[in-house]
Amino acid sequence: MAKSIASEFTKGLWKEIPPFRLVLGLCPTLGVTTSMKNGIGMGLATTFVLLCSNVLISALRKVIPAKVRIACFIIIIATFVIVVEQVMQVYAYTLFLDLGVFIPLIVVNCIVLGRAEAFASKNGLVLSAVDGLGIGLGFTCSLAALGAVRELLGTGSLKGDVFGYLQYNVPDIFGASFEPFGFIVQAPGAFIALGLMLCAMNLIPSK
């Protein structure tokens, strides 16, 4: 059992890490990763929704009618997204504004709905919780890494404050003479940075 729990958790951190392995959730990946701060914030919000919705769907899997299961999943996911929205407006309003429409769009994030349908609706509470946590943290790491690359190349430094607790400031990493690639923090730069990181990930075996 312990081995199974460990396997379900670690798969989301490497073997099935979104978006680099599963290539899912690309809309927020491309849209919010102009900085590492935004990537971490979006990832943690998605992780909370993933974890909570997986647990509740797993608990209710035997009473949810099969014909309306997708609608029920969306209602459950939407409930936790509303919780995330309200909490962020109170404790991280600036980050909430930065992420914008991508917070409510977690409701239709294919990663969240996919884990509900493919895993939580077929497995017990513990494994579903571990699956949601692992996939969520893997998604957070992916967004943070992509955001860090774009922020570094686009501004030459890393600076941010996530939820008032995680603060960092690393100025002039490449030196004062570095000329930032401004386009990398714009929409076209998101596709280029993601493409390069996908290429690098494909060079590394998933197992």
Side-chain angles (χ1 to χ4, degrees):
M1 182 63 178
K3 184 177 180 180
S4 178
I5 291 174
S7 175
E8 294 299 339
F9 177 74
T10 56
K11 72 181 181 184
L13 300 177
W14 186 253
K15 184 178 179 181
E16 297 182 17
I17 185 172
F20 299 137
R21 296 295 187 192
L22 302 180
V23 196
L24 295 174
L26 294 186
C27 286
T29 301
L30 294 169
V32 306
T33 54
T34 53
S35 67
M36 189 168 75
K37 174 195 72 174
N38 288 355
I40 295 173
M42 186 67 196
L44 292 178
T46 306
T47 300
F48 173 81
V49 175
L50 257 172
L51 176 60
C52 295
S53 61
N54 263 21
V55 169
L56 188 54
I57 289 168
S58 176
L60 299 175
R61 70 187 188 281
K62 294 182 180 179
V63 299
I64 295 176
K67 292 183 179 180
V68 295
R69 69 186 188 283
I70 300 300
C72 293
F73 294 166
I74 291 174
I75 291 172
I76 291 171
I77 293 167
T79 301
F80 291 113
V81 171
I82 292 172
V83 172
V84 166
E85 280 192 288
Q86 298 302 312
V87 170
M88 289 188 70
Q89 287 185 56
V90 174
Y91 295 103
Y93 188 65
T94 302
L95 180 60
F96 173 79
L97 293 178
D98 289 340
L99 298 180
V101 71
F102 290 101
I103 293 296
L105 282 178
I106 294 175
V107 175
V108 291
N109 190 312
C110 52
I111 298 173
V112 182
L113 190 57
R115 299 322 295 171
E117 169 69 6
F119 198 91
S121 63
K122 299 178 178 65
N123 292 277
L125 284 173
V126 175
L127 289 181
S128 296
V130 170
D131 173 79
L133 184 60
I135 294 290
L137 291 178
F139 187 58
T140 302
C141 292
S142 299
L143 266 61
L146 183 58
V149 169
R150 294 181 66 191
E151 187 176 0
L152 277 173
L153 295 178
T155 66
S157 63
L158 289 175
K159 183 177 181 180
D161 182 349
V162 183
F163 298 115
Y165 297 101
L166 179 58
Q167 300 178 3
Y168 55 91
N169 184 10
V170 187
D172 298 328
I173 293 177
F174 299 113
S177 61
F178 175 72
E179 186 68 31
F181 300 94
F183 79 95
I184 207 72
V185 293
Q186 299 175 0
F191 288 94
I192 294 172
L194 177 62
L196 291 174
M197 293 189 73
L198 281 171
C199 179
M201 287 293 292
N202 285 329
L203 295 175
I204 305 174
S206 61
K207 296 182 180 180

